[in-house]
C-alpha cells in the first residue's frame, strides 16, 4: 500500500492566501525531491468534523482518493507549510484545497495542535509513516459548517460517526497510520468511543 | 473591593437546557450558604472573544456590572454547574444568561479548559479569590458570532483589543483576580501582547 | 457490576497536606450522602505511568480491588477535592493514598487536565457513570518514579503496556467507564496503540 | 539588536541520539543558507524550570550569551530538528547542549507543545522574529532536576522567579520576541504573575 502525504504544491489554485513577504520560496519538483532527504518538512493536517449546537463532535469527515496505483485510500486534510506562510494560513489554504471554498471551516482560536504527528520513511519510529519524506505535522480538529466539495485528486468526503471512524476497516484504509491520528483527534475532544 | 463569583442560581430564566435526570438538585439560599463552607463548588467561566476569518482572536468581551456596594466592576461569563448538568450545558446556559440569546457562541469541541482557576476565600493560596466560597472553575475561550445583550445584573459588554484587555486599569477592575485569567486566556490562543 | 468512584474520605491517614484555611469542611457520612444528590462533586483522577529517559510512556499502572460484592475490579487513582484544598494538593494526597508514600510521583507543571470526565448516576449522558453521585473529575497522567505499594482497599498495582491497557478484557474490568479515560490518557501522550 | 535562533548544527558533540535511518541529512553551511530562504525550518524550544514537590513552577532558567556583535542577550533552549530525528530526541539533545549533561531534564509525557512559535524574518506577522530564516518552533516547559552547566556559546544559566522573568528589563534582553514566549510558558502552567 502506498503511504503518502499529499503535497500538490504546484497547483496554481493552491497559492497561499497571504503571499510570503520576501521570497516566495516555491520549490521545483527537483528541488523538493532534493530537500526531502535532508530536512524534516513542516505540515499541517485537519480532521474535519461536524459539531452540534453545543460544540460536541457528531461526525468526522474523511477524504476518499485513488492513490498512484489506483487503490482507493482514505485520508484527512493535509499539506505543507510554505516559506513565509503562517501555520494558520496554511491550515486554511489546505482545508479550502481539499474541502472546497464553501466548507466554511471554523479554525481554532488556539494555535496549539491536538497532536504533533511525526511521519518517517521507515516504520517503527512513530505510529506514522510517509515513504517520501520525514514530515512533522501539526494536527487540528476543525469544525466545518458549510458544504464540502472535494477538489483536486480527492473523490469525495464521507461523513462518519465517531464510532464508524475508528473501526478496523476504516483504519486500514487510512494511509500512513492516520487511523491513530483520527483516534487521537476524537480522544482530544472527548468523543473517542 | 467586593470580589464575588456571580451565582444567580435561582432566577427562573436560568434553568439548565437539559433537565437533571433524577433529582433537580436546586438548593435554597440557605442550603447553598450551608454547603459553601463545606465543599468546593464547581464553576464554568468563559472569556468571550471575537475572531477573524482565520480564527485569530481580535477582541475580548468584558461584562460591566455594579456590585453590591454600587461600585462598577468588570467580570467575564461565570456560573455554577448544577446537579445533573453537563459542563457543556452549564457553559452554554451561563453564556446565554450573561450575553443574551443572540450571542451565538461557538462552544469548543474539546471539553478541556484552557485553565482550572481555583478561587479561595482567603488570598495567597492561588491568584484567585472569592470571599463567599471555595470555587473551582473550568475556564474556556469562547468565540461569539452574534450580538451580545447582557441580561440580569450586567450593564454592558465592552469589547477590547487584547492589548487593552491586559492593561493595569482593566486588570484592577476585574474582580477576584480575573485579570490573570484573562491574560492566561489570551496566552492560550497566542494573543497575549 | 458495581460502578463506584472511590471516596474513602474519613480515613484518618487521608487528611489533606494543606489544612483548609477557615473551616475544615469535613462531612459526615450522612452529610455527604445528603449533598451527593444536590451538587456535582469535584474529583481528581490520575493515570499512573512509567516513562523512559525521554519522557515517553512505557507502562500504565492500574489498581486491582475487590468491590462491595467481592468482585475484582480495576481502577485508577481517584478521590474527592476537599474544601480549602488545591487541586494539586488533592492529586498528591490521593496518589499517596492509593500508591503509597514511596511512589514519588512527578506532578505535572500544568494544572490543566488531559480530560474532564463527567460521571453521572445514569448512563448515556457521558461515557462515565457513578451510581452514587454526579462527579466531575479532572484527570491527569502522572509519571511515578518510585515503588508503588497500594494502601487501603486496593490489592495491588498492575503495570501494563499501553497495548495491554486498552484491550477489551482490561476495559471491561475498569469501573465506571474508565476504560475510555485510560484510552484518552494514552492518546493525550501520543501512546494510544 | 541581533535576533537569531541558535543553530550550532555542525558541532560534533551535537549529533542526534538516534541516527537518521536512511540519510544523515547533515547540511553544509552553504546548503543550510540556501534552504533557509526556501522552507520553514522546524525547531524545538524549551523553557527550563525548577518545580517544587507538587510540580508547581518556582523558577525559570534563562541563558545569558554574548551575541555576534558582543552584546549580552538572554535566550532559552532552542535548536533545529534534524532529518530522521524525533521531536523528543531533538528536545533532549538541545537541552543537553545548552544546559550540560547533568541537568537531568524531565521531558513531558505529552508531545504537544504549550505553544507553536512562528519566527519570521520580518516583524509584524507574529510576535517572533528571526532575521536569518522562517522557523516554526514547538515550545515546551521542561523541569530540570540536576545542575545546569551551559556549554558552547552560552555564558551562564540564570534562575529567576516567574515575577522576575516577565519584567520589562528581562523581556527586552530576550532575543526574537521570546519574552512573549516565556509569558506564554508561565501562563500554560498557571504561574503567570
Amino acid at each position: 500500500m502506498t503511504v503518502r502525504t499529499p503535497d500538490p504544491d504546484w497547483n496554481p489554485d493552491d497559492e497561499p492566501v497571504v503571499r510570503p513577504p520576501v521570497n516566495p520560496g516555491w520549490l521545483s519538483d527537483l528541488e523538493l525531491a532534493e530537500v526531502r532527504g535532508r530536512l524534516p518538512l513542516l505540515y499541517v493536517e485537519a480532521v474535519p468534523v461536524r459539531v452540534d449546537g453545543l460544540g460536541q463532535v457528531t461526525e468526522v469527515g474523511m477524504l476518499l482518493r485513488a492513490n498512484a496505483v489506483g487503490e482507493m485510500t482514505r485520508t484527512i486534510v493535509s499539506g505543507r507549510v510554505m516559506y513565509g506562510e503562517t501555520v494558520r494560513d496554511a491550515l486554511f489554504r489546505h482545508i479550502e484545497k481539499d474541502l472546497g471554498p464553501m466548507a466554511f471551516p471554523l479554525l481554532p482560536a488556539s494555535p496549539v495542535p491536538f497532536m504533533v504527528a511525526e511521519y518517517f520513511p521507515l516504520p517503527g519510529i512513530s505510529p506514522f509513516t510517509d515513504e517520501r519524506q520525514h514530515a512533522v505535522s501539526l494536527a487540528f480538529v476543525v469544525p466545518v459548517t458549510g458544504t464540502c466539495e472535494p477538489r483536486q485528486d480527492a473523490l469525495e468526503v464521507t461523513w462518519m460517526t465517531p464510532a464508524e471512524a475508528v473501526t478496523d476497516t476504516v483504519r486500514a484504509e487510512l494511509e500512513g497510520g492516520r487511523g491513530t491520528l483520527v483516534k487521537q483527534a476524537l480522544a482530544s475532544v472527548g468523543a473517542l468511543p
Side-chain angles (χ1 to χ4, degrees), chain A residues 27 29-41 80:
Chain A
L27 303 179
D29 278 3
L30 198 68
E31 288 169 317
L32 189 64
E34 170 81 13
V35 122
R36 276 189 162 136
R38 317 298 295 276
L39 280 178
L41 293 185
R80 198 155 66 79

Side-chain angles (χ1 to χ4, degrees), chain A residues 63-66 72 150-157:
Chain A
L63 295 162
L64 189 66
R65 190 168 53 182
M72 300 306 288
R151 302 194 304 169
Q152 304 201 0
D153 55 350
L155 298 182
E156 62 167 45
V157 180

Side-chain angles (χ1 to χ4, degrees), chain A residues 62-138:
Chain A
M62 304 243 188
L63 295 162
L64 189 66
R65 190 168 53 182
N67 68 13
V69 296
E71 293 166 332
M72 300 306 288
T73 61
R74 292 191 190 279
T75 192
I76 54 174
V77 173
S78 179
R80 198 155 66 79
V81 181
M82 296 294 181
Y83 179 85
E85 187 183 32
T86 66
V87 165
R88 207 173 271 282
D89 282 330
L91 192 59
F92 189 87
R93 178 168 63 86
H94 288 291
I95 291 171
E96 191 172 60
K97 176 199 74 189
D98 285 346
L99 302 182
M102 306 301 282
F104 297 129
L106 300 172
L107 264 60
S110 170
V112 176
F114 74 83
M115 190 50 58
V116 175
E118 304 180 62
Y119 294 83
F120 292 96
L122 293 184
I125 304 173
S126 85
F128 309 108
T129 54
D130 183 340
E131 60 185 22
R132 298 170 310 159
Q133 63 193 1
H134 174 194
V136 175
S137 163
L138 309 178

Side-chain angles (χ1 to χ4, degrees), chain A residues 1 72-74 165 167-177 179:
Chain A
M1 182 181 139
M72 300 306 288
T73 61
R74 292 191 190 279
T167 57
D168 287 345
T169 315
V170 171
R171 189 173 189 170
E173 292 169 350
L174 277 157
E175 55 185 12

